Amino acid sequence: MVTPENMPAEGGGQRGPLFDRNGVPGASSTPVDMDAAIVLLGAGVTAITHPLLYVKLLIQVGHEPLAPTVGTTMFGRKVLYLPGFFSYARHIIKVDGKSGLFRGLSPRVMSSAISTMVRSKVKQAVPMEDAEHVSNRDDLKTSLRKVVRETSHEMVVQCLSRIATHPFHVISVRCMAQFVGREVKYRGLFSCVAKIFQEEGVAGFFVGLVPHVLGEVIFLWCCNLLAHFINTYAVDDNFSQAPAVRSYTKFVMGIAVSVLTYPFMLVADLMAVNNCGLAAGLPPNSPIFKSWVHCWRHLSVQGQLFRGSSFFFRRVPVAVTALE
């Protein structure tokens, strides 16, 4: 579950060359230069992807302002198709203008920058041992301890980064969720901080933190261990393309595992907006959840644990007789 907020700052804390205007590495590059470049890159990616995450958040909270359309699957089954990303985005533009697609962007940019700095500082304070070179199948079989050590280090970095940036995630989610009830409760970054602290105290900045951290920890361990075992036992060294296959294994496993851990992210987002005074987190739009476990159980019973995981081909099965 790599997002712009938790993009790994591989250069953080390590001295490396930056390129000048002529494409020549700068001789005076410092870790600060690398961090600054990563912060700018993260801000750019965050801004570009924000409309996607905005639409996703509104779908997650169950806001469906557009009527579904009747369609037919390739097997001839009649279904109701919910609006996809482009239809939803056009609706937001119609209501709030093009700038409306970037509601809640500033706290996400702040979150991305803080995540980069925290990762850099943690890696400087707790450096990971040099990676061992793995050259053949025998080495891979004996490298499980190395994978566990690297994953543990990555987990510590990720958890500290999530704790530091979660308050900004809560602010961003609430700013975006205001679209549902057309509220103006959360506007500026500083006023949001004051409002949350006044109404909920420090705990208000960390609602939904537990499922978020759990989801990311499970993702890290499953992704790294599955990639290790597949590279060790499923990829034959005699295969000429074995190195290339192994280089993509972790990427493919990341996609697969992110689908399985998506419910944790959904629950975290719903808890961030639940019972905070916004229509999106109050009845009749949403029950008031006692805990994130209560939220998980409710979604499970409703069959909605993967709500918002897809932007396209969202459909609601209906009885064929009702459409004829």
Side-chain angles (χ1 to χ4, degrees):
M1 293 171 291
V2 179
T3 64
E5 286 82 354
N6 62 16
M7 286 177 61
E10 297 298 337
Q14 296 181 356
R15 190 174 298 272
L18 289 179
F19 293 90
D20 60 21
R21 294 181 179 178
N22 298 320
V24 180
S28 59
S29 301
T30 65
V32 175
D33 296 328
M34 293 298 295
D35 289 343
I38 294 173
V39 167
L40 292 176
L41 175 62
V45 173
T46 299
I48 293 173
T49 60
H50 187 75
L52 287 169
L53 296 183
Y54 184 17
V55 171
K56 177 181 179 181
L57 187 277
L58 294 179
I59 296 174
Q60 285 180 329
V61 298
H63 185 54
E64 298 292 350
L66 302 177
T69 57
V70 179
T72 305
T73 67
M74 60 183 298
F75 300 105
R77 181 185 179 187
K78 293 182 179 180
V79 296
L80 287 177
Y81 283 100
L82 294 169
F85 167 74
F86 294 107
S87 298
Y88 216 127
R90 284 195 296 267
H91 173 72
I92 295 175
I93 293 175
K94 182 179 179 180
V95 176
D96 287 339
K98 293 182 179 179
S99 61
L101 287 174
F102 298 94
R103 182 195 293 260
L105 174 60
S106 56
R108 288 195 62 235
V109 171
M110 184 66 69
S111 174
S112 176
I114 293 177
S115 175
T116 298
M117 292 185 289
V118 169
R119 288 172 177 273
S120 175
K121 296 302 181 182
V122 172
K123 288 179 180 180
Q124 289 180 22
V126 189
M128 186 171 61
E129 297 179 12
D130 294 336
E132 302 173 11
H133 178 67
V134 178
S135 58
N136 54 47
R137 189 184 180 97
D138 292 333
D139 290 334
L140 282 169
K141 287 182 178 180
T142 59
S143 64
L144 179 58
R145 182 177 299 177
K146 167 180 162 289
V147 172
V148 171
R149 183 171 62 250
E150 292 178 350
T151 304
S152 299
H153 182 271
E154 189 176 357
M155 178 183 67
V156 171
V157 174
Q158 181 62 34
C159 289
L160 292 177
S161 172
R162 172 54 56 191
I163 292 172
T165 60
H166 194 75
F168 298 95
H169 176 76
V170 172
I171 294 173
S172 178
V173 167
R174 293 186 180 183
C175 288
M176 292 186 283
Q178 289 183 132
F179 181 85
V180 177
R182 311 305 301 159
E183 296 102 341
V184 290
K185 181 178 180 179
Y186 299 98
R187 305 187 69 172
L189 182 60
F190 294 105
S191 63
C192 288
V193 172
K195 177 71 69 174
I196 294 175
F197 183 78
Q198 179 183 6
E199 294 183 352
E200 305 170 56
V202 176
F205 295 103
F206 297 96
V207 287
L209 175 63
V210 174
H212 217 155
V213 170
L214 281 177
E216 292 181 341
V217 168
I218 293 173
F219 171 83
L220 282 174
W221 282 99
C222 289
C223 181
N224 290 356
L225 290 177
L226 284 174
H228 168 74
F229 288 123
I230 289 175
N231 287 339
T232 302
Y233 300 107
V235 181
D236 194 342
D237 287 323
N238 295 324
F239 180 49
S240 60
Q241 299 298 321
V245 172
R246 285 173 177 152
S247 66
Y248 286 103
T249 301
K250 192 171 183 178
F251 173 75
V252 175
M253 287 299 98
I255 296 176
V257 176
S258 65
V259 173
L260 297 177
T261 56
Y262 175 80
F264 289 96
M265 305 299 104
L266 172 60
V267 171
D269 289 344
L270 292 184
M271 291 304 298
V273 73
N274 191 251
N275 197 26
C276 69
L278 300 179
L282 295 171
N285 294 310
S286 170
I288 296 179
F289 301 115
K290 299 177 181 178
S291 66
W292 72 269
V293 176
H294 180 203
C295 179
W296 183 293
R297 290 175 179 171
H298 173 78
L299 293 173
S300 179
V301 171
Q302 298 294 323
Q304 297 290 316
L305 276 175
F306 292 90
R307 185 172 66 196
S309 61
S310 175
F311 290 112
F312 306 101
F313 304 108
R314 301 192 303 125
R315 60 189 189 184
V316 179
V318 296
V320 175
T321 55
L323 297 176
E324 295 180 344

